[in-house]
Amino acid sequence: MIVRILGEGQLAVPDSVLGELNTLDDQLVTTMDADDETAFRAALEVLLSRVRAYGSPLPDDTLTPSDLVLPSTDADLTEVRGMLRDEGLRDEGRRGEGLIPDSGLR
């Protein structure tokens, strides 16, 4: 799967790690629901660092659609909540899903 981290670029991430990334995403959503900015920052950094660790960067001149788009490291709670609303992940009967859909990629 191709994952874009805003402000950083795209990475090819093996589908086999989607379960682990979902777990980290669930932890991120929990911090957002608690409105805990400090825990949110830590959870976001862990999620992004795992994506970076598993992913292989795509060349900057490669134009490939992203399967997932994740916020930048410096994104705040408000920005990430906006990303969730924009994607409809928390508004269309899929409550509890975060940035990475539990059911896999669309």
Side-chain angles (χ1 to χ4, degrees):
M1 79 180 127
I2 304 300
V3 178
R4 174 177 298 284
I5 299 175
L6 294 176
E8 293 184 32
Q10 292 179 302
L11 301 109
V13 178
D15 292 340
S16 60
V17 301
L18 188 58
E20 179 183 343
L21 297 180
N22 261 315
T23 299
L24 296 172
D25 184 45
D26 290 344
Q27 293 169 0
L28 180 68
V29 169
T30 298
T31 67
M32 291 172 57
D33 289 344
D35 208 29
D36 185 339
E37 182 77 35
T38 301
F40 164 80
R41 299 234 57 79
L44 178 60
E45 183 52 42
V46 169
L47 174 62
L48 296 179
S49 69
R50 296 310 297 158
V51 169
R52 290 183 200 108
Y54 287 127
S56 300
L58 297 181
D60 289 337
D61 60 352
T62 300
L63 295 175
T64 304
S66 300
D67 298 304
L68 296 172
V69 178
L70 299 177
S72 64
T73 302
D74 61 352
D76 62 27
L77 276 165
T78 303
E79 290 175 85
V80 176
R81 284 185 179 126
M83 288 180 73
L84 292 173
R85 277 193 299 280
D86 290 345
E87 292 297 316
L89 295 176
R90 301 203 27 115
D91 297 329
E92 296 177 7
R94 292 179 285 202
R95 287 221 173 274
E97 290 194 26
L99 296 167
I100 302 170
D102 291 336
S103 58
L105 301 175
R106 295 185 216 179

